[in-house]
Amino acid sequence: MGLHHDDGDGLTARERTRRQRWLKRHGSTPIQQLNVDELQMVNAGLRVVDWGPAPDGA
């Protein structure tokens, strides 16, 4: 449960470019923009995969 980050190394170059453009345009991933605490996700029984870069130490 909680927030997990996917492995971007397995993506096509096109998908990596799409994600990089999104991050440049919006500054964060859609999940990050929701600003939902990971504990809230766990308490709700959710497992969310974020495609942005993992925060340092994660």
Side-chain angles (χ1 to χ4, degrees):
M1 302 288 170
L3 183 64
H4 304 272
H5 291 86
D6 72 350
D7 182 10
D9 294 337
L11 301 173
T12 64
R14 182 177 181 179
E15 180 62 14
R16 279 194 301 275
T17 300
R18 187 190 72 79
R19 291 179 182 194
Q20 289 168 350
R21 281 194 309 236
W22 171 279
L23 291 172
K24 185 176 181 180
R25 184 171 40 246
H26 298 284
S28 58
T29 67
I31 294 297
Q32 293 166 346
Q33 289 178 5
L34 289 173
N35 199 30
V36 176
D37 184 86
E38 184 171 359
L39 183 58
Q40 291 174 313
M41 292 181 210
V42 170
N43 288 338
L46 297 174
R47 181 180 192 278
V48 177
V49 177
D50 189 6
W51 49 260
D56 292 337

